[in-house]
Amino acid sequence: MARKMALILFLSVFLNIIPCYAEETSKERTNDTPGTAIFVMAVPMEVQVEEQSNMQNEEKWHVQIQYPAISGLKDKKAEKKINAILKKHGTDLQKKLVKEAKHDSSKNKYELISQYTIKETKSPYFVISFFDYQYKGGAHGLSTYKYVTLDLQTNRILTLDQLFKDEANYKDKLQGLILKQIEKRADAKTLLNDEIYGNLKIQDDQNFYITPHGDLVLVFNLNEVAPYTSGTMEFSISEKDLH
């Protein structure tokens, strides 16, 4: 009987040790493995996201839109304004597509699919990524990405110039850093020419997001700076290069 009780006691202690050991091992692996620790502050706990949707299927067009409605900000007036902007992203695309479809005499059925994801970022930022696909006839449709970066300290949507408010020539600096990256890419000899990258300009409404490590990523959609076949182009600028 004593031996049986000792065995039960041993198993009880052993089984309690295993989860603790596994948890510590997991923590150690997370810290040692590049990229895994970025999920710690991925989504600030005070922000909640509720998915909203809008669908419309007519003879000449099909629309399927998902967009986020956020809550949890202390500034409710700012929260309402941000949600209106997030909703407007899809409705503006829908209005334009429906208008074009109505004036198209062909048998093409127009299509709009707009979806979103919450992208991993660095506190105090909150990044929403919109993926939009539109088809208006022809061989293929057009896919674009739009990033919305919120600053949760100021409760506002960030624009690129707000990140460089003390630097008047930040556009030239960013453009120079991007061109250096292009030169290092494997296809630089075929792509680096005036006809393609001569149009590379940093815009006031430049598409961008911030990574969990604080790097700035500038995003150029199809046909903005390179041919359709080059796809969406992203250029990551490290935090140290920004200072």
Side-chain angles (χ1 to χ4, degrees):
M1 182 68 178
R3 181 180 297 177
K4 185 175 181 180
M5 289 297 296
L7 179 60
I8 293 174
L9 179 62
F10 171 77
L11 290 174
S12 176
V13 173
F14 180 71
L15 291 174
N16 283 326
I17 289 175
I18 289 177
C20 296
Y21 174 76
E23 181 178 356
E24 292 301 320
T25 302
S26 176
K27 289 179 180 178
E28 290 176 4
R29 289 178 180 174
T30 298
N31 292 332
D32 293 339
T33 305
T36 55
I38 64 177
F39 298 99
V40 176
M41 289 296 294
V43 179
M45 294 302 293
E46 66 269 20
V47 178
Q48 292 84 45
V49 179
E50 183 178 350
E51 182 175 297
Q52 306 292 318
S53 62
N54 175 24
M55 293 187 65
Q56 189 179 30
N57 192 24
E58 302 292 339
E59 182 180 357
K60 290 285 294 180
W61 65 83
H62 171 74
V63 173
Q64 183 178 336
I65 298 174
Q66 284 87 37
Y67 62 94
I70 65 171
S71 60
L73 300 186
K74 293 181 181 179
D75 188 337
K76 296 302 177 184
K77 185 176 181 180
E79 182 179 278
K80 183 178 180 180
K81 182 178 179 180
I82 290 170
N83 280 328
I85 293 173
L86 297 177
K87 181 179 180 179
K88 189 174 183 292
H89 171 78
T91 54
D92 282 354
L93 292 175
Q94 180 179 2
K95 289 177 182 178
K96 184 177 180 181
L97 180 128
V98 170
K99 183 178 180 180
E100 292 178 10
K102 287 181 177 179
H103 289 84
D104 188 348
S105 59
S106 72
K107 295 182 179 181
N108 292 325
K109 183 165 185 176
Y110 284 39
E111 185 174 17
L112 167 64
I113 298 176
S114 181
Q115 301 172 331
Y116 75 93
T117 57
I118 306 302
K119 196 169 184 65
E120 305 295 339
T121 189
K122 180 180 182 179
S123 179
Y125 304 117
F126 187 86
V127 176
I128 301 167
S129 170
F130 286 101
F131 170 77
D132 305 312
Y133 170 81
Q134 297 185 65
Y135 178 77
K136 302 177 182 180
H140 50 70
L142 182 66
S143 300
T144 57
Y145 291 89
K146 172 64 179 177
Y147 293 92
V148 177
T149 300
L150 308 181
D151 185 337
L152 298 181
Q153 288 184 334
T154 60
N155 294 314
R156 65 179 179 178
I157 296 176
L158 280 177
T159 54
L160 191 61
D161 64 306
Q162 291 169 343
L163 296 175
F164 299 92
K165 57 184 178 181
D166 297 327
E167 291 189 50
N169 64 335
Y170 74 93
K171 291 182 181 179
D172 294 335
K173 182 178 180 179
L174 290 175
Q175 188 168 328
L177 291 170
I178 290 175
L179 289 174
K180 286 182 180 179
Q181 289 188 32
I182 293 174
E183 291 172 357
K184 293 179 180 179
R185 296 193 176 186
D187 57 353
K189 291 182 179 179
T190 57
L191 291 183
L192 185 58
N193 57 66
D194 292 339
E195 291 182 3
I196 298 176
Y197 288 106
N199 295 324
L200 196 155
K201 301 290 183 182
I202 306 300
Q203 305 296 330
D204 292 334
D205 59 348
Q206 180 65 48
N207 211 4
F208 75 93
Y209 63 88
I210 298 170
T211 72
H213 301 293
D215 297 342
L216 173 67
V217 180
L218 301 180
V219 182
F220 296 88
N221 279 304
L222 297 172
N223 299 323
E224 285 188 345
V225 296
Y228 181 92
T229 53
S230 298
T232 299
M233 306 197 71
E234 296 189 355
F235 300 94
S236 181
I237 312 296
S238 66
E239 191 171 15
K240 66 179 182 179
D241 288 336
L242 296 175
H243 301 287

